[in-house]
Amino acid sequence: MILIKLREVMANYRQKTGERLTYEILAKKTGLSKATLESLASRNSYNPRLSTIEQLCRALKCTPGELLELVVEESSE
């Protein structure tokens, strides 16, 4: 499963820049809806488009590798 670490990256952005980001502010910066950002941050099963990932990376000045994390689930064999 791939996790989207939006909250973590937003916190890192604040540490680097001193700029506090809310979902509303990030929505304005990216053109994404607040509802989309909330879903990205809270729903593990949310499947974003690559263009959404790109918009977030540009706004948050991060790489996809910082925003996404591969979690390997152990099989139940």
Side-chain angles (χ1 to χ4, degrees), residues 14-67:
R14 183 177 185 179
Q15 287 179 339
K16 288 183 208 174
T17 66
E19 181 183 351
R20 182 177 171 267
L21 283 179
T22 62
Y23 293 137
E24 291 87 4
I25 294 169
L26 189 55
K28 288 177 185 173
K29 284 183 168 236
T30 61
L32 300 169
S33 72
K34 180 183 169 202
T36 296
L37 296 172
E38 290 170 344
S39 292
L40 283 166
S42 63
R43 288 180 27 205
N44 289 338
S45 62
Y46 193 83
N47 187 12
R49 302 175 80 163
L50 287 177
S51 60
T52 300
I53 299 298
E54 180 181 1
Q55 288 170 289
L56 288 170
C57 288
R58 288 183 188 278
L60 295 168
K61 297 179 173 66
C62 69
T63 65
E66 293 169 309
L67 185 62

